[in-house]
Amino acid sequence: MSDDLVAPESVGEVSYRPDLPDWGCYLSWPDKDEEWIFVDDRPKAQQLIPSRRVFRRERWDGSYYWLYYGLWSVRVQPTMWVPCPNCDLEVGEQVELLQMSGENDAGIFHIREITLSKTGDACDFWLRRGEMPIAKSFPRSHLRPLKQKYRLKAGFFEHTAPTASLPKDCEMLDVGNLLGKDS
């Protein structure tokens, strides 16, 4: 069975799961009630949804997707949301704002919000310096992360066992049985 398919409980149905992580936002409340949100996470969800905030959907536990927005996490059942471009920065992360030929007041800032742009094709980054919020948003190209993050998927690289290609007339050093086992 492919990693993209999840076997549903009822026979004859197929459920598709997206490649994770992915990013998206809830521009409107996706259902008339709150049953789609994990009970303990409903107060947080009411503060964050609906909005243009870009959530990172990190994992699927079989019943709920785990959405992250900075230090906030919310568990939701599969619902309609607006997919967003991949975002390699997170709320709360420290970044350098580049000068961009004098367009910006360069410096070190924290990301306070990440929102979907009005055109829907990019993310807007809202910054703060200390507790002072900056009034305008910035595109990703104006920001440089201060820490490099690496994320490798299991099985992404295949490593072959090293082999020696020695000439047949090469003298080998006999070191004996180092492990003390019968060979």
Side-chain angles (χ1 to χ4, degrees):
M1 177 179 270
S2 168
D3 289 341
D4 295 337
L5 297 177
V6 177
E9 293 297 319
S10 58
V11 177
E13 290 183 29
V14 176
S15 174
Y16 294 94
R17 182 178 45 152
D19 289 333
L20 300 176
D22 66 342
W23 290 262
C25 65
Y26 290 98
L27 298 177
S28 61
W29 199 257
D31 204 347
K32 62 182 179 220
D33 58 20
E34 297 176 348
E35 297 301 315
W36 57 281
I37 306 168
F38 188 75
V39 175
D40 296 343
D41 296 341
R42 289 179 185 165
K44 288 186 278 187
Q46 290 169 346
Q47 291 179 339
L48 298 171
I49 301 171
S51 70
R52 299 188 78 80
R53 290 181 178 99
V54 176
F55 292 92
R56 183 181 78 248
R57 187 163 53 178
E58 187 70 29
R59 62 181 235 211
W60 167 254
D61 66 11
S63 298
Y64 294 94
Y65 283 111
W66 289 60
L67 306 179
Y68 292 91
Y69 188 74
L71 297 176
W72 296 72
S73 68
V74 178
R75 291 165 283 185
V76 298
Q77 292 176 340
T79 50
M80 293 295 289
W81 75 340
V82 177
C84 297
N86 290 357
C87 181
D88 63 334
L89 301 174
E90 297 181 25
V91 172
E93 187 172 343
Q94 200 172 30
V95 294
E96 177 184 4
L97 177 61
L98 304 175
Q99 191 170 15
M100 304 304 287
S101 301
E103 184 181 336
N104 300 327
D105 182 21
I108 305 298
F109 297 85
H110 283 90
I111 298 172
R112 68 179 169 93
E113 296 278 349
I114 302 173
T115 59
L116 183 64
S117 68
K118 296 208 185 296
T119 59
D121 61 350
C123 294
D124 289 331
F125 296 86
W126 300 84
L127 306 177
R128 64 177 169 80
R129 179 177 275 159
E131 296 303 315
M132 176 76 75
I134 306 302
K136 71 175 202 167
S137 66
F138 299 92
R140 173 62 178 90
S141 60
H142 290 211
L143 305 175
R144 181 182 308 154
L146 295 184
K147 294 181 181 177
Q148 192 71 5
K149 292 184 265 184
Y150 299 98
R151 185 179 292 210
L152 294 178
K153 292 184 177 180
F156 187 75
F157 293 103
E158 291 183 26
H159 298 283
T160 56
T163 58
S165 55
L166 301 173
K168 295 190 188 271
D169 61 342
C170 181
E171 289 186 36
M172 301 293 285
L173 177 63
D174 183 10
V175 295
N177 187 355
L178 295 175
L179 299 176
K181 297 180 181 177
D182 295 331
S183 47

